[in-house]
Amino acid sequence: MEFSVLDYDRSIAFFDQLFGWLGYKSFGTLDIGYRSTYYMARFPFFHSYIGIQPAQTGERLDHEEHRTGIHHLALWARNRREVDRFYQEFLLANDIPVTDKPAEYPTYTPGYYAVFFDDPVTGIHMELSHTPLLASPAAYRRWFAALRQEWEQHPEWQKPPWKEAMRPLPSRKAQR
């Protein structure tokens, strides 16, 4: 995934701080053919990366407008403590615009905990979130309760939301 940013140098300074705090590694293209800086976790055996390149046109993003394109980027945290520390030590300490303080979001999945914020240069909306491998029984109860509450607001749903939301995808075999 690559983002085109408004002020490349200021953006790289922000993303260096952000991804450095999270323990990512980075490399650049050395401006050979194009200019881009990449960030990845689990170096050297990364499975995905985030690239930053200079935009040629455009304006600051506003995620609340839901324009065509990426709405937000979710980054993975090891645990809730990391989300809380990131909020205190990185976001608040650097005056990064926070849209939603750290909280559990029981409608997402059991134990889902996140903080949401905006890149101060281009406005890319982001979250740092943690989903436990094994959520507590209390987290499952909160999840079911939140989904039941949603179900009550949607009489058109024929099945409970945890089943209604599931969609079949064409298999590899079916696409031949």
Side-chain angles (χ1 to χ4, degrees):
M1 173 181 319
E2 292 202 29
F3 292 104
S4 296
V5 296
L6 295 174
D7 183 328
Y8 184 77
D9 292 329
R10 281 184 51 222
S11 291
I12 294 304
F14 167 72
F15 285 110
D16 280 356
Q17 283 188 306
L18 169 76
F19 290 117
W21 196 97
L22 292 171
Y24 282 53
K25 301 291 183 192
S26 180
F27 70 93
T29 60
L30 305 176
D31 298 340
I32 300 172
Y34 63 99
R35 187 174 192 196
S36 202
T37 299
Y38 298 97
Y39 302 92
M40 73 213 89
R42 299 182 191 94
F43 183 82
F45 303 109
F46 62 94
H47 57 83
S48 60
Y49 65 84
I50 297 161
I52 306 298
Q53 57 185 264
Q56 304 218 352
T57 64
E59 57 192 48
R60 186 171 166 75
L61 301 173
D62 181 349
H63 71 277
E64 291 183 7
E65 292 177 353
H66 291 273
R67 291 183 184 176
T68 300
I70 293 176
H71 178 266
H72 78 277
L73 173 65
L75 302 168
W76 175 79
R78 290 174 186 84
N79 51 48
R80 283 180 173 221
R81 276 188 323 279
E82 186 174 41
V83 172
D84 290 335
R85 284 187 57 220
F86 179 77
Y87 171 69
Q88 291 290 329
E89 297 173 14
F90 182 77
L91 297 174
L92 294 182
N94 291 293
D95 294 321
I96 306 299
V98 174
T99 58
D100 296 281
K101 293 179 181 179
E104 184 172 318
Y105 294 86
T107 55
Y108 294 0
T109 195
Y112 194 95
Y113 189 79
V115 61
F116 294 82
F117 58 99
D118 290 335
D119 146 25
V121 180
T122 303
I124 300 167
H125 193 52
M126 301 179 166
E127 74 175 281
L128 180 66
S129 62
H130 171 69
T131 303
L133 218 45
L134 210 53
S136 70
Y140 273 97
R141 284 192 297 275
R142 288 189 298 273
W143 178 65
F144 276 118
L147 291 181
R148 278 193 196 100
Q149 187 176 11
E150 289 294 327
W151 193 10
E152 289 172 6
Q153 297 174 29
H154 292 277
E156 73 276 13
W157 293 351
Q158 302 297 310
K159 299 177 271 187
W162 49 91
K163 291 184 179 180
E164 188 76 33
M166 298 308 294
R167 302 175 54 244
L169 295 175
S171 69
R172 185 181 310 167
K173 195 179 224 182
Q175 293 183 36
R176 290 185 189 161

Coordinates of all heavy atoms in Angstrom, one line a residue, residues 58-138:
G58 N -3.7 17.5 -5.4 CA -4.6 17.1 -4.3 C -4.6 18.1 -3.2 O -3.9 19.1 -3.2
E59 N -5.4 17.7 -2.2 CA -5.5 18.5 -1.0 C -5.6 17.7 0.2 O -5.6 16.4 0.1 CB -6.8 19.4 -1.1 CG -8.0 18.6 -1.3 CD -9.2 19.4 -1.8 OE1 -9.1 20.2 -2.7 OE2 -10.3 19.2 -1.2
R60 N -5.5 18.3 1.4 CA -5.6 17.6 2.6 C -6.8 16.7 2.7 O -7.9 17.1 2.3 CB -5.6 18.6 3.8 CG -5.5 17.9 5.1 CD -5.2 19.0 6.2 NE -5.5 18.4 7.5 CZ -4.6 17.6 8.1 NH1 -3.5 17.3 7.6 NH2 -4.9 17.1 9.3
L61 N -6.7 15.5 3.2 CA -7.8 14.5 3.3 C -8.6 14.8 4.6 O -8.1 15.3 5.6 CB -7.2 13.1 3.4 CG -6.4 12.6 2.3 CD1 -5.8 11.3 2.6 CD2 -7.2 12.6 1.0
D62 N -9.9 14.4 4.5 CA -10.8 14.5 5.6 C -11.6 13.2 5.6 O -12.5 13.0 4.8 CB -11.8 15.7 5.5 CG -12.7 15.9 6.6 OD1 -12.8 14.9 7.5 OD2 -13.4 16.9 6.7
H63 N -11.3 12.3 6.5 CA -11.9 11.0 6.5 C -13.4 11.0 6.7 O -14.1 10.1 6.3 CB -11.3 10.1 7.5 CG -11.6 10.4 8.9 ND1 -10.9 11.4 9.6 CD2 -12.5 9.9 9.8 CE1 -11.4 11.5 10.8 NE2 -12.4 10.6 10.9
E64 N -13.9 12.1 7.3 CA -15.4 12.2 7.6 C -16.2 12.4 6.3 O -17.4 12.2 6.3 CB -15.7 13.2 8.6 CG -15.2 12.8 10.0 CD -15.5 13.8 11.1 OE1 -16.2 14.7 10.8 OE2 -15.1 13.5 12.2
E65 N -15.5 12.9 5.2 CA -16.2 13.1 4.0 C -16.4 11.8 3.2 O -17.2 11.8 2.2 CB -15.3 14.1 3.1 CG -15.3 15.5 3.7 CD -14.4 16.4 2.9 OE1 -13.8 16.0 1.9 OE2 -14.4 17.6 3.2
H66 N -15.7 10.8 3.5 CA -15.8 9.4 2.9 C -15.7 9.6 1.4 O -16.5 9.0 0.6 CB -17.2 8.8 3.2 CG -17.2 8.3 4.7 ND1 -16.7 7.1 5.1 CD2 -17.7 9.0 5.8 CE1 -16.9 7.0 6.4 NE2 -17.5 8.1 6.8
R67 N -14.7 10.3 0.9 CA -14.4 10.4 -0.5 C -13.9 9.0 -1.0 O -13.4 8.2 -0.3 CB -13.3 11.4 -0.8 CG -13.8 12.8 -0.5 CD -12.7 13.8 -0.9 NE -13.1 15.2 -0.5 CZ -12.3 16.2 -0.7 NH1 -11.0 16.0 -1.1 NH2 -12.7 17.4 -0.4
T68 N -13.8 8.9 -2.3 CA -13.3 7.7 -3.0 C -11.8 7.6 -2.5 O -11.1 8.5 -2.5 CB -13.4 7.8 -4.5 OG1 -14.7 7.9 -4.8 CG2 -12.8 6.6 -5.2
G69 N -11.4 6.4 -2.2 CA -10.1 6.1 -1.8 C -10.0 5.4 -0.4 O -11.1 5.0 0.1
I70 N -8.9 5.4 0.2 CA -8.7 4.7 1.5 C -9.4 5.6 2.5 O -9.1 6.8 2.6 CB -7.2 4.5 1.7 CG1 -6.7 3.5 0.8 CG2 -7.0 4.1 3.2 CD1 -5.2 3.2 0.9
H71 N -10.2 5.0 3.4 CA -10.8 5.7 4.5 C -9.8 5.8 5.7 O -9.6 6.9 6.2 CB -12.0 5.0 5.0 CG -12.6 5.7 6.2 ND1 -12.4 5.4 7.5 CD2 -13.5 6.8 6.2 CE1 -13.0 6.2 8.3 NE2 -13.7 7.0 7.5
H72 N -9.2 4.7 6.1 CA -8.2 4.8 7.1 C -7.3 3.5 7.1 O -7.6 2.5 6.4 CB -8.8 5.0 8.5 CG -9.4 3.8 9.1 ND1 -10.7 3.4 8.8 CD2 -8.9 2.9 10.1 CE1 -10.9 2.3 9.6 NE2 -9.9 2.0 10.3
L73 N -6.2 3.7 7.7 CA -5.2 2.6 7.8 C -5.1 2.1 9.2 O -5.0 2.8 10.2 CB -3.8 3.2 7.4 CG -2.6 2.3 7.6 CD1 -2.7 1.1 6.6 CD2 -1.3 3.1 7.3
A74 N -5.3 0.8 9.4 CA -5.3 0.1 10.7 C -3.9 -0.5 10.9 O -3.4 -1.3 10.1 CB -6.4 -0.9 10.8
L75 N -3.2 -0.1 12.0 CA -1.9 -0.7 12.3 C -2.1 -1.6 13.6 O -3.0 -1.4 14.4 CB -0.9 0.4 12.7 CG -0.7 1.4 11.5 CD1 0.1 2.6 12.1 CD2 0.0 0.8 10.4
W76 N -1.3 -2.6 13.6 CA -1.4 -3.7 14.7 C -0.6 -3.3 15.9 O 0.6 -2.9 15.7 CB -1.0 -5.0 14.1 CG -0.9 -6.1 15.0 CD1 -2.0 -6.8 15.5 CD2 0.2 -6.7 15.6 NE1 -1.6 -7.8 16.3 CE2 -0.2 -7.7 16.5 CE3 1.6 -6.4 15.6 CZ2 0.7 -8.5 17.2 CZ3 2.4 -7.1 16.4 CH2 2.0 -8.2 17.2
A77 N -1.1 -3.5 17.1 CA -0.4 -3.3 18.3 C -0.3 -4.7 19.0 O -1.2 -5.5 18.8 CB -1.2 -2.4 19.3
R78 N 0.8 -4.9 19.8 CA 1.0 -6.2 20.4 C 0.0 -6.4 21.5 O -0.4 -7.5 21.8 CB 2.4 -6.2 21.0 CG 3.5 -6.3 20.0 CD 4.9 -6.1 20.6 NE 5.9 -6.1 19.6 CZ 6.3 -4.9 19.0 NH1 5.7 -3.8 19.3 NH2 7.2 -5.0 18.1
N79 N -0.5 -5.3 22.2 CA -1.4 -5.5 23.3 C -2.0 -4.1 23.6 O -1.7 -3.1 23.0 CB -0.7 -6.0 24.6 CG 0.6 -5.2 24.9 OD1 0.6 -4.0 24.9 ND2 1.7 -6.0 25.1
R80 N -2.9 -4.1 24.6 CA -3.6 -2.8 25.0 C -2.6 -1.8 25.5 O -2.8 -0.6 25.3 CB -4.7 -3.1 26.0 CG -5.9 -3.7 25.4 CD -6.9 -4.0 26.6 NE -8.2 -4.4 26.0 CZ -9.4 -3.9 26.5 NH1 -9.5 -3.1 27.5 NH2 -10.5 -4.4 25.9
R81 N -1.7 -2.3 26.3 CA -0.7 -1.4 26.9 C 0.0 -0.6 25.8 O 0.3 0.6 26.0 CB 0.3 -2.2 27.8 CG -0.1 -2.5 29.2 CD 1.0 -3.1 30.0 NE 1.9 -4.0 29.3 CZ 1.6 -5.3 29.1 NH1 0.4 -5.8 29.5 NH2 2.4 -6.1 28.4
E82 N 0.4 -1.3 24.7 CA 1.0 -0.6 23.6 C 0.1 0.5 23.0 O 0.6 1.6 22.7 CB 1.5 -1.5 22.5 CG 2.3 -0.8 21.5 CD 2.9 -1.8 20.5 OE1 2.2 -2.7 20.0 OE2 4.1 -1.5 20.1
V83 N -1.1 0.3 22.9 CA -2.1 1.3 22.4 C -2.1 2.5 23.4 O -2.0 3.6 23.0 CB -3.5 0.7 22.2 CG1 -4.5 1.8 21.9 CG2 -3.5 -0.4 21.2
D84 N -2.2 2.2 24.7 CA -2.3 3.2 25.7 C -1.0 4.0 25.7 O -1.0 5.3 25.8 CB -2.6 2.7 27.1 CG -4.0 2.2 27.2 OD1 -4.9 2.6 26.4 OD2 -4.2 1.3 28.0
R85 N 0.2 3.3 25.7 CA 1.5 4.0 25.7 C 1.6 4.9 24.4 O 2.1 6.0 24.5 CB 2.6 3.0 25.8 CG 2.8 2.5 27.2 CD 4.0 1.6 27.3 NE 5.2 2.4 26.9 CZ 6.2 1.9 26.2 NH1 6.2 0.7 25.8 NH2 7.3 2.7 26.0
F86 N 1.2 4.4 23.3 CA 1.3 5.1 22.0 C 0.5 6.4 22.1 O 0.9 7.4 21.7 CB 0.8 4.2 20.9 CG 0.8 4.8 19.5 CD1 2.0 5.0 18.8 CD2 -0.4 5.3 19.0 CE1 2.0 5.6 17.6 CE2 -0.4 5.9 17.7 CZ 0.8 6.0 17.0
Y87 N -0.7 6.3 22.7 CA -1.6 7.4 22.8 C -0.9 8.5 23.7 O -0.8 9.7 23.3 CB -2.9 7.0 23.5 CG -3.8 8.1 23.9 CD1 -4.4 8.9 23.0 CD2 -4.1 8.3 25.3 CE1 -5.3 9.9 23.4 CE2 -4.9 9.3 25.7 CZ -5.5 10.1 24.7 OH -6.3 11.2 25.1
Q88 N -0.4 8.1 24.9 CA 0.3 9.0 25.8 C 1.6 9.5 25.3 O 1.9 10.7 25.2 CB 0.5 8.3 27.2 CG -0.8 8.1 27.9 CD -1.5 9.3 28.4 OE1 -0.8 10.3 28.7 NE2 -2.8 9.3 28.5
E89 N 2.5 8.6 24.9 CA 3.9 8.9 24.6 C 4.1 9.4 23.2 O 5.1 10.1 23.0 CB 4.8 7.7 24.9 CG 4.8 7.3 26.3 CD 5.5 6.0 26.5 OE1 6.3 5.5 25.6 OE2 5.4 5.4 27.6
F90 N 3.3 9.1 22.3 CA 3.5 9.5 20.9 C 2.4 10.6 20.5 O 2.8 11.7 20.1 CB 3.5 8.4 19.9 CG 3.8 8.8 18.5 CD1 5.1 9.2 18.1 CD2 2.8 8.9 17.6 CE1 5.3 9.6 16.9 CE2 3.0 9.4 16.3 CZ 4.3 9.8 15.9
L91 N 1.2 10.2 20.5 CA 0.1 11.1 20.0 C 0.0 12.3 20.8 O 0.1 13.4 20.3 CB -1.2 10.3 19.9 CG -1.3 9.1 19.0 CD1 -2.6 8.4 19.1 CD2 -1.0 9.6 17.5
L92 N -0.3 12.2 22.1 CA -0.4 13.4 22.9 C 0.9 14.2 23.1 O 0.9 15.4 23.0 CB -0.9 13.0 24.3 CG -2.3 12.4 24.4 CD1 -2.7 12.2 25.9 CD2 -3.4 13.4 23.7
A93 N 2.0 13.5 23.2 CA 3.3 14.1 23.4 C 3.7 15.0 22.1 O 4.4 15.9 22.2 CB 4.4 13.1 23.7
N94 N 3.2 14.6 21.0 CA 3.5 15.3 19.7 C 2.4 16.1 19.1 O 2.4 16.5 18.0 CB 4.0 14.2 18.7 CG 5.4 13.7 19.1 OD1 6.4 14.3 19.1 ND2 5.4 12.4 19.4
D95 N 1.3 16.3 19.9 CA 0.1 17.0 19.5 C -0.4 16.5 18.2 O -0.8 17.3 17.3 CB 0.5 18.5 19.4 CG 0.8 19.2 20.7 OD1 0.1 18.8 21.7 OD2 1.7 20.0 20.8
I96 N -0.5 15.2 18.0 CA -1.1 14.6 16.9 C -2.6 14.6 17.1 O -3.1 14.2 18.1 CB -0.6 13.1 16.7 CG1 0.9 13.1 16.6 CG2 -1.2 12.5 15.4 CD1 1.6 13.9 15.5
P97 N -3.4 15.0 16.1 CA -4.9 15.0 16.2 C -5.5 13.6 16.5 O -5.4 12.8 15.6 CB -5.4 15.6 14.9 CG -4.2 16.3 14.3 CD -3.0 15.5 14.8
V98 N -6.1 13.5 17.6 CA -6.7 12.2 18.0 C -8.2 12.4 17.8 O -8.8 13.3 18.3 CB -6.4 11.9 19.5 CG1 -7.2 10.6 19.9 CG2 -4.9 11.7 19.7
T99 N -8.8 11.5 17.0 CA -10.2 11.5 16.7 C -11.0 10.7 17.7 O -12.2 11.0 18.0 CB -10.6 11.1 15.3 OG1 -10.1 9.8 15.1 CG2 -9.9 12.1 14.3
D100 N -10.4 9.6 18.2 CA -11.1 8.7 19.2 C -10.0 8.2 20.1 O -9.1 7.5 19.7 CB -11.8 7.5 18.5 CG -12.9 8.0 17.6 OD1 -14.0 8.3 18.1 OD2 -12.7 8.1 16.4
K101 N -10.2 8.5 21.4 CA -9.2 8.1 22.4 C -9.3 6.5 22.5 O -10.2 5.9 22.1 CB -9.6 8.7 23.8 CG -9.4 10.2 23.8 CD -9.8 10.7 25.1 CE -9.6 12.2 25.1 NZ -10.0 12.8 26.4
P102 N -8.2 6.0 23.2 CA -8.2 4.5 23.3 C -9.5 4.0 24.0 O -9.9 4.5 25.0 CB -7.0 4.2 24.2 CG -6.1 5.4 24.0 CD -7.0 6.6 23.7
A103 N -10.1 3.0 23.4 CA -11.3 2.4 23.9 C -11.5 1.0 23.3 O -10.9 0.7 22.3 CB -12.5 3.3 23.6
E104 N -12.3 0.2 24.0 CA -12.7 -1.1 23.4 C -13.9 -0.8 22.5 O -14.8 0.0 22.8 CB -13.1 -2.0 24.5 CG -13.5 -3.4 24.0 CD -13.7 -4.4 25.1 OE1 -12.9 -4.4 26.1 OE2 -14.6 -5.2 25.0
Y105 N -13.9 -1.5 21.4 CA -15.0 -1.4 20.4 C -15.6 -2.8 20.2 O -15.3 -3.5 19.3 CB -14.4 -0.9 19.0 CG -13.9 0.5 19.1 CD1 -12.6 0.8 19.6 CD2 -14.8 1.6 18.8 CE1 -12.2 2.1 19.7 CE2 -14.3 2.9 19.0 CZ -13.0 3.2 19.4 OH -12.6 4.5 19.5
P106 N -16.6 -3.1 21.1 CA -17.1 -4.4 21.2 C -17.9 -4.8 19.9 O -18.1 -6.0 19.7 CB -18.0 -4.4 22.4 CG -18.3 -3.0 22.7 CD -17.1 -2.2 22.1
T107 N -18.4 -3.9 19.1 CA -19.1 -4.3 17.9 C -18.1 -4.9 16.8 O -18.5 -5.6 15.9 CB -19.9 -3.2 17.3 OG1 -19.1 -2.1 17.0 CG2 -21.1 -2.8 18.2
Y108 N -16.8 -4.6 16.9 CA -15.9 -5.0 15.9 C -15.6 -6.5 16.1 O -15.7 -7.3 15.1 CB -14.6 -4.2 16.0 CG -14.7 -2.7 15.6 CD1 -16.0 -2.2 15.2 CD2 -13.6 -1.9 15.6 CE1 -16.1 -0.8 14.9 CE2 -13.7 -0.6 15.3 CZ -15.0 0.0 15.0 OH -15.1 1.3 14.6
T109 N -15.1 -6.8 17.2 CA -14.7 -8.2 17.5 C -14.4 -8.3 19.0 O -14.1 -7.3 19.6 CB -13.6 -8.7 16.7 OG1 -13.5 -10.2 16.7 CG2 -12.2 -8.1 17.1
P110 N -14.5 -9.5 19.7 CA -14.3 -9.5 21.1 C -12.9 -9.0 21.5 O -11.9 -9.4 20.9 CB -14.4 -11.0 21.4 CG -15.3 -11.6 20.3 CD -14.9 -10.8 19.1
G111 N -12.9 -8.0 22.4 CA -11.6 -7.5 22.9 C -10.9 -6.4 22.0 O -9.8 -6.0 22.4
Y112 N -11.5 -6.0 20.9 CA -10.9 -5.1 20.0 C -10.7 -3.7 20.7 O -11.7 -3.2 21.3 CB -11.8 -4.9 18.8 CG -11.1 -4.2 17.7 CD1 -10.6 -4.9 16.6 CD2 -11.1 -2.8 17.6 CE1 -10.0 -4.3 15.6 CE2 -10.5 -2.1 16.5 CZ -9.9 -2.9 15.5 OH -9.3 -2.3 14.5
Y113 N -9.5 -3.2 20.7 CA -9.1 -2.0 21.5 C -8.3 -1.2 20.6 O -7.3 -1.6 20.0 CB -8.3 -2.5 22.7 CG -8.1 -1.3 23.7 CD1 -9.0 -0.9 24.6 CD2 -6.8 -0.7 23.8 CE1 -8.8 0.1 25.5 CE2 -6.5 0.3 24.7 CZ -7.5 0.7 25.6 OH -7.3 1.7 26.5
A114 N -8.6 0.1 20.4 CA -8.0 1.0 19.5 C -8.0 2.4 19.8 O -8.8 2.9 20.6 CB -8.6 0.8 18.1
V115 N -7.1 3.2 19.2 CA -7.0 4.6 19.2 C -7.0 5.1 17.8 O -6.4 4.4 16.9 CB -5.8 5.2 20.0 CG1 -4.5 4.8 19.4 CG2 -5.9 6.7 20.1
F116 N -7.8 6.1 17.4 CA -7.8 6.6 16.1 C -7.2 8.0 16.0 O -7.5 8.9 16.9 CB -9.3 6.7 15.6 CG -9.9 5.3 15.5 CD1 -10.4 4.7 16.6 CD2 -10.0 4.7 14.2 CE1 -11.0 3.4 16.4 CE2 -10.6 3.4 14.1 CZ -11.1 2.8 15.2
F117 N -6.5 8.3 14.9 CA -5.8 9.6 14.8 C -5.6 10.0 13.4 O -5.8 9.2 12.5 CB -4.5 9.6 15.6 CG -3.5 8.5 15.1 CD1 -2.5 8.8 14.2 CD2 -3.7 7.2 15.5 CE1 -1.6 7.9 13.7 CE2 -2.8 6.2 15.0 CZ -1.8 6.6 14.2
D118 N -5.2 11.2 13.1 CA -5.0 11.7 11.8 C -3.5 12.1 11.6 O -3.0 12.8 12.5 CB -5.9 13.0 11.5 CG -7.3 12.7 11.4 OD1 -7.7 11.5 11.0 OD2 -8.2 13.6 11.6
D119 N -3.0 11.8 10.5 CA -1.7 12.2 10.1 C -1.8 13.8 10.0 O -2.7 14.3 9.3 CB -1.3 11.6 8.7 CG -0.5 12.4 7.8 OD1 0.2 13.3 8.2 OD2 -0.6 12.2 6.6
P120 N -0.9 14.5 10.7 CA -1.0 16.0 10.7 C -0.7 16.7 9.4 O -1.0 17.9 9.3 CB -0.1 16.4 11.9 CG 1.0 15.3 11.9 CD 0.2 14.0 11.5
V121 N -0.1 16.0 8.5 CA 0.4 16.7 7.3 C -0.7 16.5 6.2 O -1.2 17.5 5.6 CB 1.7 16.2 6.8 CG1 2.1 16.9 5.5 CG2 2.8 16.4 7.9
T122 N -1.0 15.3 5.8 CA -1.9 15.0 4.7 C -3.3 14.6 5.2 O -4.3 14.7 4.4 CB -1.3 13.8 3.9 OG1 0.0 14.2 3.4 CG2 -2.2 13.5 2.6
G123 N -3.5 14.3 6.5 CA -4.8 14.0 7.0 C -5.2 12.5 6.9 O -6.4 12.2 7.1
I124 N -4.3 11.6 6.6 CA -4.6 10.2 6.5 C -5.1 9.8 7.8 O -4.4 9.9 8.8 CB -3.3 9.4 6.0 CG1 -2.9 9.9 4.6 CG2 -3.7 7.9 6.0 CD1 -1.5 9.4 4.2
H125 N -6.2 9.2 7.9 CA -6.8 8.7 9.1 C -6.2 7.3 9.4 O -6.1 6.5 8.6 CB -8.4 8.6 9.0 CG -9.1 8.4 10.2 ND1 -8.9 9.2 11.3 CD2 -10.0 7.5 10.6 CE1 -9.7 8.8 12.3 NE2 -10.4 7.8 11.9
M126 N -5.9 7.1 10.7 CA -5.2 5.9 11.1 C -5.8 5.4 12.4 O -6.4 6.1 13.2 CB -3.7 6.1 11.2 CG -3.0 6.6 10.0 SD -1.3 6.8 10.3 CE -0.7 6.9 8.7
E127 N -5.5 4.1 12.7 CA -5.8 3.6 14.0 C -4.6 2.6 14.4 O -4.0 2.0 13.5 CB -7.1 2.8 14.1 CG -7.1 1.5 13.4 CD -8.4 0.7 13.5 OE1 -8.6 0.1 14.6 OE2 -9.2 0.7 12.6
L128 N -4.4 2.6 15.7 CA -3.5 1.5 16.2 C -4.4 0.7 17.1 O -5.1 1.2 18.0 CB -2.4 2.1 17.1 CG -1.4 1.1 17.7 CD1 -0.6 0.4 16.6 CD2 -0.5 1.8 18.7
S129 N -4.5 -0.6 16.7 CA -5.5 -1.5 17.4 C -4.9 -2.8 17.8 O -3.9 -3.2 17.3 CB -6.7 -1.7 16.5 OG -6.2 -2.4 15.3
H130 N -5.5 -3.4 18.8 CA -5.1 -4.7 19.3 C -6.3 -5.6 19.4 O -7.4 -5.2 19.9 CB -4.5 -4.6 20.7 CG -4.2 -6.0 21.3 ND1 -3.3 -6.8 20.8 CD2 -4.9 -6.6 22.3 CE1 -3.3 -7.9 21.5 NE2 -4.3 -7.8 22.4
T131 N -6.2 -6.8 18.8 CA -7.2 -7.8 18.9 C -6.6 -9.0 19.6 O -5.6 -9.5 19.1 CB -7.8 -8.2 17.6 OG1 -8.3 -7.1 16.9 CG2 -8.9 -9.3 17.7
P132 N -7.1 -9.4 20.8 CA -6.4 -10.5 21.5 C -6.6 -11.8 20.8 O -7.6 -12.0 20.1 CB -7.1 -10.5 22.9 CG -8.4 -9.8 22.6 CD -8.2 -8.9 21.5
L133 N -5.6 -12.6 20.8 CA -5.6 -13.9 20.2 C -6.8 -14.7 20.9 O -7.5 -15.4 20.2 CB -4.3 -14.7 20.5 CG -3.8 -15.5 19.4 CD1 -3.9 -14.9 18.0 CD2 -2.3 -15.9 19.6
L134 N -6.9 -14.6 22.2 CA -7.9 -15.3 22.9 C -8.6 -14.2 23.8 O -8.0 -13.8 24.8 CB -7.3 -16.4 23.8 CG -8.2 -17.6 24.1 CD1 -8.7 -18.2 22.8 CD2 -7.4 -18.6 24.8
A135 N -9.8 -13.8 23.4 CA -10.5 -12.8 24.2 C -11.0 -13.4 25.5 O -11.3 -14.6 25.5 CB -11.6 -12.1 23.4
S136 N -11.2 -12.5 26.5 CA -11.8 -13.0 27.8 C -13.3 -13.3 27.6 O -13.9 -12.8 26.7 CB -11.6 -11.9 28.8 OG -12.5 -10.8 28.5
P137 N -13.8 -14.1 28.5 CA -15.3 -14.4 28.4 C -16.1 -13.1 28.6 O -17.1 -12.9 27.9 CB -15.5 -15.3 29.6 CG -14.2 -16.0 29.8 CD -13.1 -15.0 29.5
A138 N -15.6 -12.1 29.3 CA -16.3 -10.8 29.5 C -16.3 -10.1 28.2 O -17.3 -9.4 27.8 CB -15.6 -10.0 30.6

